Amino acid sequence: ELKVEQNPLFLSMQEGKNYTIYCNYSTTSDRLYWYRQDPGKSLESLFVLLSNGAVKQEGRLMASLDTKARLSTLHITAAVHDLSATYFCAVEDTVDSNYQLIWGAGTKLIIKP
Amino acid sequence: GAVVSQHPSRVICKSGTSVKIECRSLDFQATTMFWYRQFPKQSLMLMATSNEGSKATYEQGVEKDKFLINHASLTLSTLTVTSAHPEDSSFYICSATAGGSHDTQYFGPGTRLTVL
């Protein structure tokens, strides 16, 4: 059974700082997604990572995937207040459940001005 | 592109009534749609997967007679919460893919259901 763990679950940081959110998963998968959710809103797709060593960047966010370590990271560079949100990783289960997404618990990120 | 809408965005109903939530793909044909519910401060929980023209596949523990899903066309899926109770209050989110379940999911804006 595929399990996905995110950490930290909560992160409070100052503007201008760098930080990394980690997403570990337990079995082989071909796809990993990062989503952002603002309070009371739905999910916004940030990145989809498809292969080992994949790195994608959008603004101050950069996501990477190491399939051998079963680890993805979401790195925030020089954080700004607008990046405050909850970030979810989701891993596609290609073994047990016909490509269902297995979700991490989410990381609530608060960036203080 | 890849816009998914949901209607209504918020609904308040009395216990025992039924509520229908619509999920539409606006600019693509959605072969597969997913229905999730999310409790406050928690992650998403998949309720069911529906493919156009066929019966939905429900996740373990989800009552199919209570949560009726219809995926009648390639752009519309509906979730009907029958005989709603306060414990059904939640944030319901749909998502859709153009290329079947093995494709990027695009999420609707969600529907906040409150059952009094």
Side-chain angles (χ1 to χ4, degrees):
Chain A
E1 180 188 354
L2 175 59
K3 295 186 178 179
V4 179
E5 290 187 0
Q6 264 181 261
N7 69 84
L9 299 182
F10 180 81
L11 179 57
S12 179
M13 55 195 286
Q14 295 292 131
E15 277 192 326
K17 299 290 187 181
N18 303 333
Y19 211 81
T20 301
I21 300 170
Y22 298 89
C23 177
N24 289 90
Y25 54 99
S26 60
T27 64
T28 302
S29 176
D30 295 333
R31 290 185 180 215
L32 187 143
Y33 299 82
W34 284 97
Y35 289 91
R36 167 182 173 149
Q37 186 178 36
D38 292 297
K41 305 289 185 181
S42 190
L43 283 84
E44 174 190 352
S45 177
L46 296 175
F47 302 107
V48 53
L49 302 168
L50 302 176
S51 61
N52 187 41
V55 177
K56 291 195 175 179
Q57 184 164 3
E58 180 74 32
R60 300 174 187 273
L61 300 178
M62 183 173 72
S64 66
L65 178 63
D66 181 343
T67 58
K68 292 180 181 178
R70 297 176 185 161
L71 170 68
S72 179
T73 60
L74 180 65
H75 187 73
I76 303 145
T77 302
V80 293
H81 179 66
D82 287 352
L83 291 178
S84 296
T86 298
Y87 292 85
F88 291 95
C89 67
V91 181
E92 190 172 81
D93 186 349
T94 55
V95 177
D96 287 340
S97 58
N98 197 25
Y99 307 118
Q100 177 185 147
L101 290 183
I102 308 299
W103 293 82
T107 297
K108 184 171 184 177
L109 176 63
I110 296 177
I111 299 169
K112 300 176 182 177
Chain B
V3 178
V4 177
S5 70
Q6 269 182 256
H7 178 80
S9 57
R10 286 179 180 271
V11 58
I12 300 172
C13 68
K14 293 183 179 180
S15 190
T17 60
S18 295
V19 175
K20 181 185 281 189
I21 303 169
E22 292 187 349
C23 177
R24 293 182 185 272
S25 57
L26 298 185
D27 51 1
F28 66 102
Q29 292 188 326
T31 55
T32 305
M33 286 185 168
F34 302 84
W35 286 97
Y36 295 88
R37 69 186 294 183
Q38 186 181 33
F39 292 105
K41 300 183 181 181
Q42 293 190 23
S43 190
L44 278 74
M45 184 193 82
L46 180 65
M47 300 175 66
T49 303
S50 73
N51 293 294
E52 186 265 339
S54 60
K55 290 184 179 180
T57 302
Y58 289 80
E59 294 303 305
Q60 195 170 12
V62 178
E63 300 175 59
K64 56 184 68 175
D65 293 333
K66 180 166 185 62
F67 298 100
L68 301 178
I69 291 171
N70 186 300
H71 192 161
S73 76
L74 284 172
T75 59
L76 173 64
S77 177
T78 60
L79 167 68
T80 302
V81 183
T82 62
S83 187
H85 291 284
E87 58 266 30
D88 298 325
S89 299
S90 190
F91 192 47
Y92 291 87
I93 307 175
C94 73
S95 70
T97 72
S101 55
H102 185 53
D103 199 2
T104 299
Q105 293 183 33
Y106 298 96
F107 285 81
T111 296
R112 176 79 56 194
L113 171 63
T114 303
V115 184
L116 303 176

